[in-house]
Amino acid sequence: MAESTNDGNEVEISRDRLADLLNEDLSREYQAIIAYVVYSQVLSGAEYMDIATQLELHAKQELAHALIISRQIDYLGKMPAVTPKPVRTSKNPTDMLRYDLDNENETIRNYRDRIRQCEALGEYAMAEQIRQILMQEQDHQIDLATALGVEVPDLSLGPKERTLGKRR
Ligand SMILES: [Fe+2]
Ligand SMILES: [Fe+2]
């Protein structure tokens, strides 16, 4: 079967493969929960107070995402994964925020693919659930890019993708 691509073309996918990919997404959600739980508490200094509060909200939203993704995996007849992707840590606040931004970028790329794959399988309700998650991930990306003082990375490679900012 064809792998998913970012080119916006129709993708060949099976329900089995979709469940495996959703389990990868779930591992990324666990990673995000852990990172945001820790980073929101260890980021200190007056200049990081606002972003620390935002990261605490992100942690709760990532948990909600994990629950939604788990439900989809169960619906597809598979067992939800229990292992997070590795979480990087640093004593440097900028590094921490940079790791979070990298992870959000990766998550956004994957969910954009996942929506196309769900639709290719006729799983429109699932695609809609993932769209809702994607909207929050893009907000997380914007929060982090703003805190870092960088432009929001443009991850759009497909012709139909909405761009959020210019490529750096
Ligand atoms: Fe998430
Ligand atoms: Fe996120």
Side-chain angles (χ1 to χ4, degrees), residues 29 32 36 58 62 65 104 107 136-137 140:
E29 294 291 355
Y36 285 130
H58 292 187
E62 305 296 11
H65 300 168
E104 291 290 352
T107 295
Q136 289 193 334
E137 307 294 15
H140 296 170

